[in-house]
Amino acid sequence: MQEDQPQEAAEEPAPSIGALECDPGVVPSDSQNLSDVDAFKILLEMKMKKRQKQPSLPGTVTELVTEEGSKVYVVGTAHFSDDSRRDVVKTIQEVQPDVVVVELCQYRVSMLKMDEKTLLKEAKELSLEKLQQAVRQNGVMSGLMQMLLLKVSAHITEQLGMAPGGEFREAFKEASKVPFCKFHLGDRPIPVTFKRAIAALSFWQKVKLAWGLCFLSDPISKDDVEKCKQKDLLEQMMAEMIGEFPDLHRTIVSERDIYLTYMLRQAAKRLELPRASEAEPRKSIPSVVVGVVGMGHVPGIEKNWSTDLNIQEIMSVPPPSISSKVSRFVVKATFFGLMCYGFYRVGKRTVTLILSMTATRWSCLQRLAEIRPQK
């Protein structure tokens, strides 16, 4: 399994020397003759000067420290909140991190590069093509569950006129402005989460949950979103629907708390400084990390921060149970049954239409034959 290191975005933000605010008194005039090590030290020194020793951080930020002395600033966000975007920007600017970790996996990384208008359109449109893609990617039941959860997100998007993931896009932009700042994807892959969630439910629990998701229509205001700073809106709505399914809550929330904690701690390894030669001893300094996660995950991350974590178990997908096999069969049978019925109805109407046209034509010919002798 390749989950021991943080997932990096497809295009990691790279520091641009030309974009930095250089201090003429720091950079030597003969900068073209600088070695890579000297250039690194100069840029790192500039970064340290911009890093606030006592940063003024929003109230949504939780500070955690590793055993090695690295600092992790976890920004708890509401996924549909303008205030959360501003909190992320301010935190990154204040602490000038070495790594930014966001609550995304490789299956959702595309939202980092899309503009708000495109995302808003994509979030509102749940097409048959998206359903087929979800089923191919995750299987029938997990794919349907993913589409139902996307429906919840689309409902919020439609109510607020705001695309999800704005805080992650802001984190991506701000990380690109910080020298030597890496950008990591810290969430468990969606297929694993949904497959484990489906496996935790009985057949009737799946039916009941799907029913609740299908008929979600309560209005949501922007004030409701900001009130949900203590718990992410999307996850709060989900929690209200899955409250009677503790196993589902465990797989969707608690297990991801563990995974996010593990990835944040991996990102917070000490930063190794470059050496001018092999003979020079290795040196490292504590790193600074900013984590951007839904507010609902912050208590779990704090709880798991000082415990020994093993993510092998929560990354495995259990074999399908008998109820899962039955439900999969029922879904497939229903789907193909509806398709066959649809073809039958269309075919029946087509045959009826053809027979009707033939009968009409034959009747017209008979009338013409009867008329001709009278002339």
Side-chain angles (χ1 to χ4, degrees):
M1 187 187 67
Q2 302 294 327
E3 295 298 333
D4 288 341
Q5 296 298 327
Q7 307 167 65
E8 295 193 12
E11 294 183 8
E12 177 182 303
S16 173
I17 296 178
L20 297 176
E21 295 179 0
C22 298
D23 183 354
V26 176
V27 182
S29 58
D30 194 12
S31 58
Q32 292 183 348
N33 296 326
L34 282 176
S35 66
D36 291 341
V37 175
D38 290 335
F40 178 89
K41 289 180 179 179
I42 291 172
L43 292 173
L44 183 61
E45 183 180 349
M46 293 166 57
K47 177 177 177 177
M48 293 301 183
K49 284 186 175 181
K50 291 185 68 176
R51 179 179 289 171
Q52 301 296 320
K53 293 182 179 179
Q54 294 182 337
S56 174
L57 300 175
T60 53
V61 176
T62 300
E63 181 180 341
L64 301 169
V65 181
T66 67
E67 294 179 355
E68 299 175 330
S70 297
K71 291 185 178 182
V72 178
Y73 298 93
V74 183
V75 188
T77 67
H79 293 318
F80 293 84
S81 168
D82 287 330
D83 283 352
S84 288
R85 298 185 189 193
R86 289 188 283 269
D87 290 350
V88 169
V89 171
K90 182 175 177 59
T91 302
I92 293 176
Q93 290 177 349
E94 287 281 318
V95 305
Q96 294 290 294
D98 304 302
V99 185
V100 172
V101 181
V102 296
E103 185 198 329
L104 288 176
C105 69
Q106 63 266 36
Y107 294 91
R108 293 181 290 161
V109 72
S110 60
M111 73 163 55
L112 294 175
K113 302 174 184 179
M114 289 186 184
D115 60 86
E116 195 78 11
K117 185 177 180 180
T118 303
L119 276 167
L120 196 59
K121 182 180 178 181
E122 287 284 326
K124 290 181 179 180
E125 295 179 355
L126 298 180
S127 61
L128 180 60
E129 183 181 352
K130 288 184 179 180
L131 174 60
Q132 292 174 338
Q133 182 180 356
V135 169
R136 282 197 302 268
Q137 187 180 90
N138 304 321
V140 177
M141 291 305 301
S142 298
L144 290 174
M145 180 65 71
Q146 181 177 344
M147 290 305 295
L148 288 174
L149 290 176
L150 284 175
K151 181 181 182 298
V152 176
S153 180
H155 170 65
I156 302 175
T157 298
E158 186 176 4
Q159 293 281 317
L160 299 180
M162 181 187 299
E167 74 274 31
F168 301 139
R169 289 188 291 281
E170 290 296 337
F172 186 72
K173 292 176 186 176
E174 289 301 316
S176 68
K177 301 174 185 177
V178 179
F180 312 115
C181 182
K182 296 182 178 180
F183 191 88
H184 289 170
L185 307 175
D187 201 3
R188 184 172 65 177
I190 279 182
V192 176
T193 297
F194 281 114
K195 287 176 182 178
R196 287 183 62 84
I198 290 297
L201 296 177
S202 67
F203 173 73
W204 292 113
Q205 285 177 324
K206 294 170 188 174
V207 172
K208 191 171 184 179
L209 179 62
W211 182 267
L213 291 172
C214 283
F215 291 95
L216 177 70
S217 59
D218 293 336
I220 303 162
S221 67
K222 289 190 176 183
D223 290 337
D224 293 331
V225 178
E226 299 309 326
K227 289 177 183 177
C228 288
K229 282 277 190 158
Q230 299 305 312
K231 195 169 187 181
D232 179 60
L233 177 63
L234 182 58
E235 290 179 4
Q236 177 168 318
M237 294 179 68
M238 286 301 303
E240 291 174 355
M241 287 182 287
I242 67 177
E244 56 188 288
F245 310 133
D247 289 334
L248 189 60
H249 185 275
R250 172 177 53 81
T251 55
I252 292 181
V253 180
S254 301
E255 289 183 359
R256 289 172 59 224
D257 290 346
I258 295 173
Y259 191 90
L260 287 165
T261 305
Y262 178 85
M263 299 306 276
L264 285 168
R265 281 174 19 184
Q266 287 294 110
K269 298 292 185 182
R270 289 177 66 90
L271 181 65
E272 188 171 315
L273 301 177
R275 297 179 294 168
S277 66
E278 292 293 330
E280 185 178 341
R282 294 182 180 275
K283 295 181 181 179
S284 64
I285 58 175
S287 59
V288 173
V289 176
V290 170
V292 183
V293 304
M295 181 60 75
H297 290 292
V298 176
I301 292 172
E302 287 187 274
K303 177 184 175 182
N304 294 307
W305 189 250
S306 300
T307 61
D308 293 330
L309 301 177
N310 181 5
I311 64 169
Q312 300 292 333
E313 181 181 351
I314 64 172
M315 288 300 295
S316 63
V317 179
S321 61
I322 295 177
S323 64
S324 295
K325 293 179 180 178
V326 171
S327 60
R328 189 181 307 160
F329 173 78
V330 170
V331 170
K332 287 183 177 180
T334 303
F335 178 74
F336 287 113
L338 289 172
M339 284 185 62
C340 291
Y341 179 73
F343 286 135
Y344 165 74
R345 293 284 296 178
V346 172
K348 185 178 179 181
R349 287 188 177 184
T350 303
V351 171
T352 302
L353 181 61
I354 292 174
L355 291 176
S356 175
M357 290 174 64
T358 303
T360 303
R361 184 179 179 185
W362 181 253
S363 176
C364 289
L365 289 173
Q366 282 184 328
R367 288 188 177 183
L368 285 172
E370 291 174 358
I371 294 171
R372 282 178 181 175
Q374 293 177 2
K375 292 181 179 180

Short mmCIF file of all heavy atoms in Angstrom, two decimals, residues 212-264:
data_model
loop_
_atom_site.label_atom_id
_atom_site.label_comp_id
_atom_site.label_asym_id
_atom_site.label_seq_id
_atom_site.Cartn_x
_atom_site.Cartn_y
_atom_site.Cartn_z
N GLY A 212 -33.86 8.82 2.51
CA GLY A 212 -33.66 10.13 3.14
C GLY A 212 -32.88 11.08 2.27
O GLY A 212 -33.19 12.28 2.20
N LEU A 213 -31.87 10.57 1.57
CA LEU A 213 -31.06 11.42 0.70
C LEU A 213 -31.83 11.86 -0.53
O LEU A 213 -31.65 12.98 -1.02
CB LEU A 213 -29.79 10.66 0.29
CG LEU A 213 -28.76 10.40 1.40
CD1 LEU A 213 -27.66 9.48 0.89
CD2 LEU A 213 -28.17 11.69 1.91
N CYS A 214 -32.66 10.97 -1.06
CA CYS A 214 -33.41 11.28 -2.29
C CYS A 214 -34.42 12.40 -2.08
O CYS A 214 -34.69 13.19 -2.99
CB CYS A 214 -34.14 10.03 -2.78
SG CYS A 214 -33.07 8.85 -3.61
N PHE A 215 -34.97 12.49 -0.88
CA PHE A 215 -36.06 13.46 -0.64
C PHE A 215 -35.60 14.62 0.23
O PHE A 215 -36.39 15.23 0.94
CB PHE A 215 -37.25 12.75 -0.01
CG PHE A 215 -37.94 11.81 -0.97
CD1 PHE A 215 -37.60 10.47 -0.98
CD2 PHE A 215 -38.87 12.27 -1.88
CE1 PHE A 215 -38.20 9.59 -1.87
CE2 PHE A 215 -39.48 11.40 -2.77
CZ PHE A 215 -39.15 10.06 -2.77
N LEU A 216 -34.30 14.92 0.16
CA LEU A 216 -33.78 16.08 0.87
C LEU A 216 -34.20 17.36 0.17
O LEU A 216 -33.93 17.55 -1.01
CB LEU A 216 -32.23 16.00 0.91
CG LEU A 216 -31.53 17.19 1.56
CD1 LEU A 216 -31.77 17.18 3.06
CD2 LEU A 216 -30.04 17.13 1.27
N SER A 217 -34.88 18.25 0.87
CA SER A 217 -35.33 19.48 0.20
C SER A 217 -35.47 20.66 1.16
O SER A 217 -36.05 21.67 0.82
CB SER A 217 -36.70 19.23 -0.46
OG SER A 217 -37.65 18.83 0.51
N ASP A 218 -34.94 20.55 2.39
CA ASP A 218 -35.07 21.65 3.34
C ASP A 218 -34.27 22.86 2.87
O ASP A 218 -33.13 22.73 2.41
CB ASP A 218 -34.55 21.21 4.72
CG ASP A 218 -35.44 20.14 5.34
OD1 ASP A 218 -36.61 20.08 4.94
OD2 ASP A 218 -34.95 19.37 6.18
N PRO A 219 -34.83 24.07 2.98
CA PRO A 219 -34.11 25.27 2.55
C PRO A 219 -32.94 25.58 3.48
O PRO A 219 -32.98 25.28 4.67
CB PRO A 219 -35.18 26.36 2.62
CG PRO A 219 -36.17 25.85 3.62
CD PRO A 219 -36.19 24.36 3.46
N ILE A 220 -31.88 26.16 2.93
CA ILE A 220 -30.67 26.49 3.69
C ILE A 220 -30.32 27.93 3.39
O ILE A 220 -30.34 28.36 2.24
CB ILE A 220 -29.50 25.59 3.28
CG1 ILE A 220 -29.87 24.12 3.47
CG2 ILE A 220 -28.25 25.89 4.09
CD1 ILE A 220 -28.97 23.18 2.71
N SER A 221 -29.95 28.69 4.41
CA SER A 221 -29.54 30.07 4.21
C SER A 221 -28.05 30.21 4.53
O SER A 221 -27.45 29.34 5.15
CB SER A 221 -30.34 31.00 5.13
OG SER A 221 -29.99 30.77 6.49
N LYS A 222 -27.48 31.34 4.11
CA LYS A 222 -26.07 31.58 4.40
C LYS A 222 -25.84 31.72 5.90
O LYS A 222 -24.77 31.37 6.41
CB LYS A 222 -25.58 32.83 3.66
CG LYS A 222 -25.47 32.63 2.16
CD LYS A 222 -24.77 33.80 1.50
CE LYS A 222 -24.59 33.54 0.00
NZ LYS A 222 -23.85 34.63 -0.66
N ASP A 223 -26.83 32.24 6.61
CA ASP A 223 -26.71 32.34 8.06
C ASP A 223 -26.60 30.96 8.69
O ASP A 223 -25.86 30.76 9.66
CB ASP A 223 -27.92 33.08 8.65
CG ASP A 223 -27.92 34.56 8.30
OD1 ASP A 223 -26.82 35.08 8.00
OD2 ASP A 223 -29.00 35.17 8.32
N ASP A 224 -27.33 29.99 8.12
CA ASP A 224 -27.25 28.62 8.62
C ASP A 224 -25.83 28.08 8.46
O ASP A 224 -25.33 27.36 9.33
CB ASP A 224 -28.22 27.70 7.86
CG ASP A 224 -29.67 28.04 8.14
OD1 ASP A 224 -29.94 28.54 9.26
OD2 ASP A 224 -30.52 27.83 7.26
N VAL A 225 -25.19 28.44 7.36
CA VAL A 225 -23.84 27.96 7.12
C VAL A 225 -22.88 28.50 8.17
O VAL A 225 -22.08 27.77 8.76
CB VAL A 225 -23.35 28.38 5.72
CG1 VAL A 225 -21.93 27.92 5.49
CG2 VAL A 225 -24.25 27.78 4.66
N GLU A 226 -22.95 29.80 8.42
CA GLU A 226 -22.04 30.41 9.37
C GLU A 226 -22.29 29.90 10.80
O GLU A 226 -21.37 29.81 11.60
CB GLU A 226 -22.16 31.94 9.32
CG GLU A 226 -21.82 32.52 7.96
CD GLU A 226 -20.48 32.04 7.43
OE1 GLU A 226 -19.54 31.82 8.23
OE2 GLU A 226 -20.36 31.86 6.21
N LYS A 227 -23.56 29.56 11.10
CA LYS A 227 -23.86 28.98 12.41
C LYS A 227 -23.23 27.60 12.56
O LYS A 227 -23.02 27.12 13.67
CB LYS A 227 -25.37 28.87 12.61
CG LYS A 227 -26.07 30.20 12.80
CD LYS A 227 -27.57 30.02 12.91
CE LYS A 227 -28.28 31.37 13.02
NZ LYS A 227 -29.76 31.21 13.05
N CYS A 228 -22.94 26.98 11.42
CA CYS A 228 -22.39 25.63 11.44
C CYS A 228 -20.86 25.64 11.52
O CYS A 228 -20.21 24.66 11.18
CB CYS A 228 -22.83 24.85 10.20
SG CYS A 228 -24.56 24.40 10.25
N LYS A 229 -20.28 26.76 11.95
CA LYS A 229 -18.83 26.81 12.13
C LYS A 229 -18.37 25.80 13.17
O LYS A 229 -17.24 25.35 13.16
CB LYS A 229 -18.41 28.21 12.58
CG LYS A 229 -18.38 29.21 11.46
CD LYS A 229 -17.08 29.11 10.69
CE LYS A 229 -16.95 30.28 9.73
NZ LYS A 229 -15.57 30.52 9.36
N GLN A 230 -19.27 25.46 14.10
CA GLN A 230 -18.92 24.48 15.11
C GLN A 230 -19.02 23.06 14.58
O GLN A 230 -18.57 22.12 15.19
CB GLN A 230 -19.83 24.63 16.35
CG GLN A 230 -19.71 25.99 17.00
CD GLN A 230 -18.28 26.32 17.38
OE1 GLN A 230 -17.59 25.49 17.97
NE2 GLN A 230 -17.83 27.51 17.03
N LYS A 231 -19.64 22.92 13.43
CA LYS A 231 -19.72 21.61 12.78
C LYS A 231 -20.04 21.83 11.32
O LYS A 231 -20.96 22.56 11.00
CB LYS A 231 -20.80 20.75 13.44
CG LYS A 231 -20.69 19.28 13.07
CD LYS A 231 -21.59 18.44 13.95
CE LYS A 231 -21.36 16.96 13.70
NZ LYS A 231 -22.24 16.12 14.52
N ASP A 232 -19.27 21.23 10.44
CA ASP A 232 -19.44 21.47 9.02
C ASP A 232 -20.86 21.18 8.57
O ASP A 232 -21.46 20.18 8.95
CB ASP A 232 -18.45 20.61 8.24
CG ASP A 232 -18.58 20.80 6.76
OD1 ASP A 232 -18.39 21.93 6.30
OD2 ASP A 232 -18.91 19.83 6.07
N LEU A 233 -21.42 22.06 7.72
CA LEU A 233 -22.81 21.96 7.31
C LEU A 233 -23.13 20.64 6.62
O LEU A 233 -24.09 19.96 6.98
CB LEU A 233 -23.15 23.12 6.35
CG LEU A 233 -24.57 23.11 5.77
CD1 LEU A 233 -25.60 23.26 6.87
CD2 LEU A 233 -24.73 24.21 4.74
N LEU A 234 -22.32 20.26 5.65
CA LEU A 234 -22.58 19.03 4.91
C LEU A 234 -22.54 17.83 5.84
O LEU A 234 -23.42 16.97 5.79
CB LEU A 234 -21.54 18.87 3.79
CG LEU A 234 -21.69 17.65 2.89
CD1 LEU A 234 -23.07 17.63 2.22
CD2 LEU A 234 -20.59 17.63 1.84
N GLU A 235 -21.54 17.79 6.71
CA GLU A 235 -21.43 16.65 7.61
C GLU A 235 -22.51 16.69 8.69
O GLU A 235 -22.95 15.65 9.19
CB GLU A 235 -20.03 16.61 8.23
CG GLU A 235 -18.97 16.25 7.20
CD GLU A 235 -17.57 16.24 7.77
OE1 GLU A 235 -17.44 16.45 8.99
OE2 GLU A 235 -16.62 16.03 7.00
N GLN A 236 -22.96 17.90 9.07
CA GLN A 236 -24.04 17.97 10.04
C GLN A 236 -25.33 17.43 9.45
O GLN A 236 -26.08 16.70 10.11
CB GLN A 236 -24.25 19.42 10.50
CG GLN A 236 -25.43 19.56 11.47
CD GLN A 236 -25.46 20.92 12.13
OE1 GLN A 236 -24.43 21.44 12.52
NE2 GLN A 236 -26.63 21.49 12.26
N MET A 237 -25.61 17.80 8.19
CA MET A 237 -26.80 17.28 7.54
C MET A 237 -26.73 15.76 7.42
O MET A 237 -27.71 15.05 7.63
CB MET A 237 -26.96 17.91 6.16
CG MET A 237 -27.24 19.40 6.20
SD MET A 237 -27.38 20.11 4.55
CE MET A 237 -28.90 19.33 4.00
N MET A 238 -25.53 15.26 7.09
CA MET A 238 -25.35 13.82 6.99
C MET A 238 -25.53 13.17 8.35
O MET A 238 -26.15 12.12 8.48
CB MET A 238 -23.97 13.50 6.44
CG MET A 238 -23.82 13.76 4.96
SD MET A 238 -25.00 12.82 3.97
CE MET A 238 -24.58 11.17 4.48
N ALA A 239 -24.98 13.81 9.39
CA ALA A 239 -25.07 13.24 10.74
C ALA A 239 -26.51 13.11 11.20
O ALA A 239 -26.89 12.16 11.88
CB ALA A 239 -24.27 14.10 11.72
N GLU A 240 -27.34 14.10 10.81
CA GLU A 240 -28.76 14.05 11.19
C GLU A 240 -29.47 12.88 10.52
O GLU A 240 -30.38 12.28 11.10
CB GLU A 240 -29.44 15.37 10.80
CG GLU A 240 -28.97 16.55 11.64
CD GLU A 240 -29.55 17.86 11.15
OE1 GLU A 240 -30.23 17.84 10.11
OE2 GLU A 240 -29.31 18.89 11.81
N MET A 241 -29.03 12.55 9.29
CA MET A 241 -29.66 11.45 8.57
C MET A 241 -29.10 10.09 8.95
O MET A 241 -29.78 9.08 8.87
CB MET A 241 -29.52 11.67 7.06
CG MET A 241 -30.40 12.78 6.54
SD MET A 241 -30.26 12.98 4.75
CE MET A 241 -28.66 13.73 4.59
N ILE A 242 -27.83 10.04 9.37
CA ILE A 242 -27.22 8.75 9.67
C ILE A 242 -27.04 8.54 11.17
O ILE A 242 -26.33 7.63 11.58
CB ILE A 242 -25.85 8.62 8.97
CG1 ILE A 242 -24.84 9.62 9.57
CG2 ILE A 242 -25.97 8.81 7.48
CD1 ILE A 242 -23.45 9.51 8.98
N GLY A 243 -27.71 9.38 11.97
CA GLY A 243 -27.57 9.27 13.41
C GLY A 243 -27.91 7.89 13.95
O GLY A 243 -27.32 7.43 14.94
N GLU A 244 -28.86 7.22 13.33
CA GLU A 244 -29.25 5.89 13.80
C GLU A 244 -28.37 4.80 13.23
O GLU A 244 -28.59 3.63 13.49
CB GLU A 244 -30.70 5.62 13.41
CG GLU A 244 -30.99 5.74 11.92
CD GLU A 244 -32.48 5.65 11.64
OE1 GLU A 244 -33.02 4.54 11.77
OE2 GLU A 244 -33.07 6.69 11.31
N PHE A 245 -27.36 5.17 12.43
CA PHE A 245 -26.44 4.19 11.86
C PHE A 245 -25.03 4.46 12.38
O PHE A 245 -24.21 5.07 11.69
CB PHE A 245 -26.43 4.26 10.32
CG PHE A 245 -27.80 4.22 9.70
CD1 PHE A 245 -28.14 5.12 8.71
CD2 PHE A 245 -28.75 3.30 10.11
CE1 PHE A 245 -29.39 5.09 8.12
CE2 PHE A 245 -30.00 3.26 9.53
CZ PHE A 245 -30.33 4.15 8.54
N PRO A 246 -24.70 4.03 13.58
CA PRO A 246 -23.38 4.33 14.16
C PRO A 246 -22.23 3.77 13.32
O PRO A 246 -21.16 4.38 13.26
CB PRO A 246 -23.43 3.66 15.54
CG PRO A 246 -24.54 2.66 15.46
CD PRO A 246 -25.53 3.23 14.50
N ASP A 247 -22.43 2.64 12.66
CA ASP A 247 -21.35 2.07 11.84
C ASP A 247 -21.05 2.97 10.64
O ASP A 247 -19.89 3.10 10.23
CB ASP A 247 -21.74 0.67 11.35
CG ASP A 247 -21.75 -0.35 12.48
OD1 ASP A 247 -21.02 -0.12 13.46
OD2 ASP A 247 -22.46 -1.36 12.38
N LEU A 248 -22.08 3.60 10.11
CA LEU A 248 -21.89 4.50 8.98
C LEU A 248 -21.15 5.76 9.42
O LEU A 248 -20.26 6.25 8.73
CB LEU A 248 -23.24 4.86 8.36
CG LEU A 248 -23.18 5.62 7.03
CD1 LEU A 248 -22.46 4.82 5.97
CD2 LEU A 248 -24.58 5.98 6.56
N HIS A 249 -21.51 6.28 10.57
CA HIS A 249 -20.82 7.45 11.11
C HIS A 249 -19.35 7.11 11.36
O HIS A 249 -18.46 7.94 11.12
CB HIS A 249 -21.49 7.90 12.41
CG HIS A 249 -20.90 9.16 12.97
ND1 HIS A 249 -19.79 9.17 13.78
CD2 HIS A 249 -21.26 10.47 12.82
CE1 HIS A 249 -19.50 10.41 14.12
NE2 HIS A 249 -20.37 11.22 13.54
N ARG A 250 -19.09 5.91 11.82
CA ARG A 250 -17.71 5.50 12.09
C ARG A 250 -16.88 5.51 10.81
O ARG A 250 -15.75 6.01 10.80
CB ARG A 250 -17.70 4.09 12.70
CG ARG A 250 -16.31 3.48 12.85
CD ARG A 250 -16.38 2.13 13.54
NE ARG A 250 -17.32 1.24 12.89
CZ ARG A 250 -17.03 0.54 11.79
NH1 ARG A 250 -15.85 0.65 11.22
NH2 ARG A 250 -17.93 -0.28 11.26
N THR A 251 -17.43 4.98 9.71
CA THR A 251 -16.66 4.89 8.48
C THR A 251 -16.51 6.24 7.78
O THR A 251 -15.45 6.54 7.21
CB THR A 251 -17.31 3.89 7.50
OG1 THR A 251 -18.68 4.27 7.29
CG2 THR A 251 -17.27 2.48 8.04
N ILE A 252 -17.54 7.07 7.81
CA ILE A 252 -17.50 8.33 7.08
C ILE A 252 -16.79 9.44 7.86
O ILE A 252 -16.12 10.29 7.27
CB ILE A 252 -18.93 8.79 6.70
CG1 ILE A 252 -19.51 7.83 5.65
CG2 ILE A 252 -18.95 10.21 6.16
CD1 ILE A 252 -20.90 8.20 5.19
N VAL A 253 -16.91 9.42 9.20
CA VAL A 253 -16.33 10.51 9.99
C VAL A 253 -15.14 10.04 10.83
O VAL A 253 -14.01 10.51 10.64
CB VAL A 253 -17.40 11.15 10.90
CG1 VAL A 253 -16.78 12.29 11.72
CG2 VAL A 253 -18.57 11.68 10.07
N SER A 254 -15.37 9.10 11.75
CA SER A 254 -14.34 8.71 12.72
C SER A 254 -13.09 8.13 12.05
O SER A 254 -11.96 8.46 12.44
CB SER A 254 -14.91 7.70 13.72
OG SER A 254 -16.01 8.25 14.40
N GLU A 255 -13.28 7.25 11.06
CA GLU A 255 -12.11 6.67 10.39
C GLU A 255 -11.33 7.72 9.61
O GLU A 255 -10.10 7.68 9.56
CB GLU A 255 -12.56 5.54 9.45
CG GLU A 255 -13.03 4.30 10.18
CD GLU A 255 -13.40 3.17 9.25
OE1 GLU A 255 -13.32 3.35 8.01
OE2 GLU A 255 -13.77 2.10 9.75
N ARG A 256 -12.04 8.66 9.03
CA ARG A 256 -11.35 9.73 8.30
C ARG A 256 -10.64 10.68 9.25
O ARG A 256 -9.63 11.30 8.88
CB ARG A 256 -12.32 10.47 7.40
CG ARG A 256 -12.75 9.62 6.20
CD ARG A 256 -13.86 10.28 5.41
NE ARG A 256 -13.47 11.58 4.89
CZ ARG A 256 -14.26 12.66 4.95
NH1 ARG A 256 -15.45 12.59 5.51
NH2 ARG A 256 -13.84 13.80 4.46
N ASP A 257 -11.15 10.82 10.48
CA ASP A 257 -10.42 11.58 11.51
C ASP A 257 -9.04 10.96 11.72
O ASP A 257 -8.02 11.67 11.79
CB ASP A 257 -11.18 11.57 12.84
CG ASP A 257 -12.45 12.40 12.80
OD1 ASP A 257 -12.62 13.19 11.85
OD2 ASP A 257 -13.28 12.25 13.71
N ILE A 258 -9.01 9.65 11.82
CA ILE A 258 -7.75 8.93 12.03
C ILE A 258 -6.82 9.13 10.84
O ILE A 258 -5.63 9.41 10.99
CB ILE A 258 -8.01 7.42 12.26
CG1 ILE A 258 -8.78 7.22 13.56
CG2 ILE A 258 -6.71 6.63 12.26
CD1 ILE A 258 -9.24 5.79 13.80
N TYR A 259 -7.37 8.99 9.63
CA TYR A 259 -6.56 9.12 8.42
C TYR A 259 -5.99 10.53 8.30
O TYR A 259 -4.80 10.72 7.99
CB TYR A 259 -7.40 8.78 7.19
CG TYR A 259 -6.60 8.61 5.93
CD1 TYR A 259 -6.09 7.38 5.56
CD2 TYR A 259 -6.34 9.71 5.10
CE1 TYR A 259 -5.34 7.24 4.40
CE2 TYR A 259 -5.59 9.58 3.95
CZ TYR A 259 -5.10 8.33 3.60
OH TYR A 259 -4.36 8.20 2.45
N LEU A 260 -6.83 11.54 8.53
CA LEU A 260 -6.37 12.93 8.44
C LEU A 260 -5.28 13.21 9.47
O LEU A 260 -4.30 13.91 9.19
CB LEU A 260 -7.55 13.89 8.64
CG LEU A 260 -8.54 13.99 7.47
CD1 LEU A 260 -9.83 14.67 7.93
CD2 LEU A 260 -7.93 14.76 6.30
N THR A 261 -5.45 12.69 10.68
CA THR A 261 -4.44 12.87 11.73
C THR A 261 -3.11 12.26 11.31
O THR A 261 -2.05 12.88 11.47
CB THR A 261 -4.90 12.21 13.04
OG1 THR A 261 -6.19 12.72 13.41
CG2 THR A 261 -3.91 12.48 14.17
N TYR A 262 -3.18 11.06 10.76
CA TYR A 262 -1.97 10.37 10.31
C TYR A 262 -1.26 11.18 9.23
O TYR A 262 -0.03 11.36 9.26
CB TYR A 262 -2.35 8.99 9.78
CG TYR A 262 -1.18 8.19 9.25
CD1 TYR A 262 -0.37 7.44 10.09
CD2 TYR A 262 -0.89 8.20 7.89
CE1 TYR A 262 0.70 6.71 9.59
CE2 TYR A 262 0.17 7.47 7.38
CZ TYR A 262 0.96 6.73 8.23
OH TYR A 262 2.02 6.01 7.74
N MET A 263 -2.01 11.69 8.26
CA MET A 263 -1.40 12.44 7.16
C MET A 263 -0.82 13.77 7.63
O MET A 263 0.21 14.22 7.13
CB MET A 263 -2.44 12.67 6.06
CG MET A 263 -3.00 11.39 5.45
SD MET A 263 -1.73 10.29 4.83
CE MET A 263 -1.43 10.96 3.21
N LEU A 264 -1.47 14.41 8.59
CA LEU A 264 -0.93 15.66 9.14
C LEU A 264 0.38 15.40 9.88
O LEU A 264 1.33 16.18 9.77
CB LEU A 264 -1.95 16.29 10.09
CG LEU A 264 -3.16 16.98 9.43
CD1 LEU A 264 -4.22 17.32 10.47
CD2 LEU A 264 -2.73 18.24 8.68
#
